[in-house]
Amino acid sequence: MPTEFTSLDDLSIGLNELSESGEKDLFYSPVSDGTTIIAVQYDQGVILGADSQTSRGRQLVSTKTRFKLARLHERIFCGTSGRCADSKAVLEVIKNRLHLKGIIEDSAPRVRVAAHIASKLCYEHRNNLETSLIIGGWDPVEGPQVYAIPIGGMMTQLPVAAGGSGSTYIYGYIDSMYKPGMSREECIRFVSNCVSLAMSRDSGSGGVIRLVAIDKDEANRMVLAGDEIPKFYQG
Amino acid sequence: MSSIGSGYDLSASQFSPDGKVFQVEYAQKAVENSGTIVALRGSDGVVLAVEKFIQSKLHETEVQSMTRLFHIEEGIGASVAGLLTDCLMLVEYARDEAADYRESNGVRVPLKVLANRVADYVHAHTLYSAVRPFGVNIILAAVEADVGPQIYMVEPSGVVYGYSGVAAGKAKQTAHTEIEKLALSRTPCEELVKEAARIIHVCHDETKDKAFELEMSWVREGMGYERVARDTLMKADSYGKKALDDTDSDSD
């Protein structure tokens, strides 16, 4: 898994110019996901999609290939946006709790339970956290589910949810193109298109498109890079 | 069948030379003195029935004090045999654990998890001299979304098993023989209430035991936990009495 890093050489060249113009946000900004994350539920399963860029301030792309779709359990994945450190911290806690729960209760944890634990954490620590989650997965009790947990910790179950800075640019596309009853392939195409469109308009989103397709039988990770990324009007 | 402890039975923190914890065995005796309870798992739910001894003619049965059937959580019911006050403690524990689970996890506690928690709690009371074991058999029942109706029973030693049908108390052997004759998995609860009533009547010993009242409740798919409605209960009760009378007259 790629780690976040910044080349100090790159930074030192630009430091003086930046402080003169008063823009300190490059050096002092925490690493954050200007991000696009999206999840959509279909009959048999869930498709999650995300871009792969993290930035410091709005000037430095610190990682081009980050994994923003984290595995919480075999059939539960979570897309994160917001401050990277906060996302990581929350994800680790949820992952550990679900892992233990699965062993003690001798059955796969439910997606609803994962979302509830996440929501509780985010709400209880809402004053210290800046992270927004989208949890998608499949379980034998309720089948495929998508839960959105924006900043503050409220949990909502939705058939399609988008988050991160890039999501604002694609709500129109989602509203016009999402239809209930889409097939797995249609959902994959829909999610890829959403992320591609967001990446081309949001400076905070970019890199490759990461996808996870979850159903009863598998959680399949996919990547669309370079020419594979859907092309649209480039102006 | 039972051996005298003679010195190794003073506290639960001691084993006897032949590997028994006598305090747990004595706790099991307390359960055997109690009225019989029966649980039957049908195709669409679980029926709980209790042979509740009436201590005195002055007891007001309408207000259902001294009941042995309890609502633990939405869709989870329990019946108890043994020392009633010990039973009440365990019921409260089960209720607290179920509520706590829902608060932490956002969903109803799976019955298996609840049964294991209650079992751990009961077992903890068999380890120390400072406390005594629970003189209780508690039966927990629910209909689970993915696996259907379930029954678990916890014993004073802390063991817990899942069952398709089970009994505890005075006449549990008689009850088990009757339960084994039933085709439980194919029978709906509407039918099983009558069978449960019949089994309780069969178990009741007119000569030795006090007068009793039949108590029944059930958990059913989509209906949650409910006490069996009065008219259904009356019908099942008369079916039970009649079946017993028929058997009696057959044996002439």
Side-chain angles (χ1 to χ4, degrees):
Chain A
M1 187 136 158
T3 50
E4 262 86 54
F5 69 95
T6 321
S7 161
L8 280 176
D9 288 336
D10 293 335
L11 272 181
S12 59
I13 293 169
L15 256 180
N16 284 335
E17 285 97 294
L18 286 171
S19 47
E20 268 164 23
S21 63
E23 273 195 10
K24 289 226 171 91
D25 81 308
L26 172 63
F27 192 72
Y28 298 107
S29 293
V31 177
S32 93
D33 292 323
T35 292
T36 311
I37 48 174
I38 177 165
V40 65
Q41 170 197 333
Y42 67 98
D43 202 25
Q44 253 82 54
V46 166
I47 309 290
L48 293 113
D51 74 308
S52 68
Q53 176 183 296
T54 66
S55 45
R56 289 177 68 147
R58 277 319 180 104
Q59 302 211 11
L60 175 68
V61 172
S62 58
T63 304
K64 296 186 197 171
T65 52
R66 173 160 152 75
F67 286 79
K68 295 183 195 180
L69 298 175
R71 175 195 183 277
L72 295 182
H73 206 264
E74 272 178 31
R75 296 283 179 274
I76 308 175
F77 278 69
C78 177
T80 57
S81 60
R83 199 179 290 157
C84 283
D86 290 351
S87 301
K88 270 267 171 74
V90 168
L91 285 175
E92 280 310 302
V93 174
I94 304 172
K95 240 193 277 195
N96 283 328
R97 293 218 186 136
L98 288 182
H99 178 73
L100 200 56
K101 176 179 284 295
I103 291 173
I104 289 176
E105 296 183 11
D106 195 25
S107 62
R110 289 169 62 173
V111 188
R112 183 178 291 277
V113 171
H116 185 95
I117 291 172
S119 151
K120 229 172 167 258
L121 268 174
C122 288
Y123 177 75
E124 276 165 15
H125 300 280
R126 66 193 181 280
N127 293 323
N128 300 316
L129 289 175
E130 200 183 286
T131 178
S132 163
L133 313 171
I134 296 181
I135 293 181
W138 183 94
D139 67 50
V141 179
E142 286 184 71
Q145 301 141 72
V146 169
Y147 297 91
I149 302 162
I151 290 178
M154 190 179 96
M155 170 179 135
T156 332
Q157 185 181 6
L158 298 161
V160 58
S165 58
S167 66
T168 50
Y169 301 99
I170 52 170
Y171 281 121
Y173 182 78
I174 293 171
D175 288 346
S176 59
M177 298 306 285
Y178 170 75
K179 284 159 190 44
M182 292 198 288
S183 70
R184 182 179 184 271
E185 283 59 45
E186 285 172 323
C187 286
I188 290 177
R189 217 166 328 141
F190 170 74
V191 165
S192 313
N193 289 346
C194 284
V195 181
S196 167
L197 286 165
M199 283 186 339
S200 72
R201 285 293 183 179
D202 177 30
S203 61
S205 302
V208 302
I209 299 180
R210 298 208 186 275
L211 298 163
V212 179
I214 306 174
D215 62 26
K216 177 158 105 9
D217 301 313
E218 61 173 4
N220 196 9
R221 283 180 245 223
M222 301 172 272
V223 173
L224 296 173
D227 282 341
E228 297 165 326
I229 296 174
K231 293 180 187 44
F232 293 95
Y233 171 65
Q234 291 299 322
Chain B
M1 203 167 75
S2 60
S3 34
I4 300 172
S6 49
Y8 300 106
D9 59 349
L10 297 177
S11 77
S13 62
Q14 283 193 309
F15 272 110
S16 73
D18 53 350
K20 298 189 188 162
V21 180
F22 276 108
Q23 279 297 305
V24 173
E25 308 236 332
Y26 298 162
Q28 284 158 350
K29 278 264 166 302
V31 177
E32 283 166 27
N33 291 336
S34 139
T36 312
I37 62 173
V38 162
L40 303 174
R41 183 181 77 183
S43 56
D44 61 344
V46 176
V47 174
L48 302 169
V50 168
E51 174 198 23
K52 188 174 78 174
F53 292 138
I54 299 173
Q55 308 292 345
S56 132
K57 292 204 186 88
L58 296 174
H59 272 311
E60 177 58 83
T61 52
E62 287 301 315
V63 295
Q64 284 172 357
S65 58
M66 306 270 283
T67 179
R68 285 173 170 270
L69 295 168
F70 300 94
H71 191 179
I72 303 294
E73 230 279 29
E74 190 187 313
I76 302 181
S79 63
V80 290
L83 299 176
L84 189 59
T85 39
D86 284 13
C87 298
L88 295 179
M89 266 188 80
L90 266 190
V91 165
E92 191 181 322
Y93 178 78
R95 284 174 173 159
D96 282 345
E97 281 295 311
D100 203 75
Y101 189 97
R102 191 185 271 278
E103 211 263 320
S104 306
N105 297 286
V107 296
R108 189 186 85 184
V109 60
L111 191 65
K112 183 170 64 172
V113 173
L114 181 63
N116 281 322
R117 297 254 182 109
V118 173
D120 282 347
Y121 187 67
V122 168
H123 172 249
H125 288 72
T126 67
L127 298 169
Y128 311 105
S129 55
V131 293
R132 65 164 174 77
F134 284 93
V136 176
N137 268 38
I138 178 168
I139 294 176
L140 295 161
V143 181
E144 303 268 86
D146 44 352
V147 289
Q150 303 269 289
I151 299 173
Y152 288 90
M153 184 169 79
V154 182
E155 302 172 28
S157 56
V159 297
V160 58
Y161 297 116
Y163 297 90
S164 54
V166 71
K170 261 196 161 83
K172 72 169 187 222
Q173 277 306 113
T174 317
H176 279 145
T177 316
E178 290 301 313
I179 294 174
E180 278 166 24
K181 296 179 192 162
L182 301 172
L184 289 168
S185 59
R186 294 194 298 275
T187 319
C189 286
E190 301 265 315
E191 293 294 310
L192 284 180
V193 278
K194 295 193 275 192
E195 292 306 318
R198 186 185 63 79
I199 294 174
I200 295 286
H201 278 281
V202 166
C203 289
H204 183 71
D205 188 338
E206 282 291 333
T207 53
K208 289 202 196 128
D209 295 333
K210 318 183 222 316
F212 83 103
E213 181 194 315
L214 174 69
E215 272 198 302
M216 290 205 288
S217 66
W218 48 8
V219 277
R220 288 175 296 166
E221 217 166 322
M223 310 280 293
Y225 171 86
E226 287 173 311
R227 282 196 168 270
V228 172
R230 193 168 175 72
D231 49 348
T232 319
L233 185 66
M234 298 274 102
K235 281 200 201 107
D237 202 12
S238 7
Y239 171 88
K241 277 199 201 105
K242 186 169 176 301
L244 191 64
D245 290 340
D246 287 349
T247 338
D248 283 349
S249 57
D250 281 349
S251 60
D252 276 344

